[in-house]
Amino acid sequence: MKRRSLPFAVALAAATTLLLSGCGNGDTDSKGDEKVAGADTGDPQPSSSASSASPGNVDRPDITLPSDVKDDFESWKTGDATKNAILADAGRAQTATNYAIVKGNPDEPALAFYRQGDALVSGARWVKSFVDAGITYTGTVRYFNPSVVVYGKTSAGVTFCTDETKAFNKNRKTKKVDRTPADDDSYVYYNTHLKKNKDGVWQTTELASERGSKKCTP
């Protein structure tokens, strides 16, 4: 899955070209809305998992990843409770997409729980491209440099980077892992928009990505 050549929004015909970045969410390979980029995130705390944030009273779907797959959310908290809740659900949207990929199910309920609108359509297509190619993935995706802008009580923007250097495509039948060497395309910049639904879940409704962005490459 090493999201290495093409953005996940693109329906890829060959397994060798599928990139993990889709795992995270694959949508469109665009620079997104710069009004979101560079937003203040407050004082980040040490490395933390988005899934560890308090889910409140919402009945959330189980999106436990298999033992060989990990989402590592680095400094995924701020000093603000609202921004923490937004980041937590933004992270869960990523993990839900990865979960749908390893399950091989474009109609995975968790996907629709955390993604709606264009983001849900593109996410389901991304998952299907993996299913059609007969692959899943293994390894760790690191999410870092998150930034949040709160536009109102039910609207927000989140940008972040992913590092896919330790995530690899895996043939679903043979279990063979394709350990493609890392390069700048192993890093992806995401620009997303979220809306808070009536149950208090911050759902990702729009998502744009830029592979090899200088905002994320080391």
Side-chain angles (χ1 to χ4, degrees):
M1 185 161 199
K2 235 159 182 179
R3 321 168 178 186
R4 297 278 160 80
S5 343
L6 299 175
F8 35 118
V10 181
L12 306 175
T16 56
T17 60
L18 287 173
L19 304 178
L20 240 200
S21 66
C23 241
N25 294 286
D27 290 310
T28 59
D29 187 25
S30 64
K31 294 183 180 180
D33 186 353
E34 289 303 321
K35 69 181 180 181
V36 177
D40 181 20
T41 59
D43 298 323
Q45 298 178 358
S47 180
S48 60
S49 168
S51 62
S52 66
S54 174
N57 297 320
V58 180
D59 184 14
R60 296 173 182 271
D62 177 16
I63 51 174
T64 302
L65 297 172
S67 59
D68 67 322
V69 175
K70 180 181 179 181
D71 281 354
D72 181 16
F73 294 91
E74 184 179 283
S75 300
W76 213 250
K77 284 187 177 182
T78 74
D80 182 89
T82 298
K83 289 184 177 181
N84 285 348
I86 295 168
L87 278 177
D89 279 344
R92 292 184 182 109
Q94 296 291 316
T95 300
T97 309
N98 293 345
Y99 181 70
I101 289 175
V102 298
K103 295 283 286 185
N105 182 17
D107 298 318
E108 167 58 44
L111 198 60
F113 190 90
Y114 289 110
R115 298 176 68 142
Q116 283 294 306
D118 291 343
L120 175 58
V121 173
S122 61
R125 287 175 178 171
W126 175 239
V127 175
K128 187 176 185 298
S129 69
F130 277 84
V131 175
D132 291 346
I135 61 173
T136 178
Y137 81 103
T138 184
T140 298
V141 178
R142 180 171 67 98
Y143 299 84
F144 63 103
N145 288 351
S147 182
V148 186
V149 172
V150 180
Y151 298 124
K153 292 183 179 180
T154 61
S155 180
V158 174
T159 63
F160 57 91
C161 295
T162 62
D163 169 5
E164 302 168 0
T165 59
K166 296 181 179 180
F168 306 91
N169 289 344
K170 183 172 72 172
N171 186 285
R172 196 172 290 276
K173 289 184 178 180
T174 67
K175 309 303 180 184
K176 182 179 179 180
V177 177
D178 178 13
R179 298 188 180 278
T180 304
D183 57 22
D184 284 354
D185 280 347
S186 303
Y187 297 86
V188 187
Y189 175 74
Y190 288 89
N191 195 322
T192 71
H193 183 262
L194 297 89
K195 291 184 178 180
K196 188 177 183 180
N197 69 11
K198 61 182 180 61
D199 296 319
V201 177
W202 287 91
Q203 297 176 311
T204 297
T205 56
E206 296 178 55
L207 185 155
S209 66
E210 181 186 1
R211 185 169 297 283
S213 171
K214 292 183 179 179
K215 296 176 182 178
C216 301
T217 54

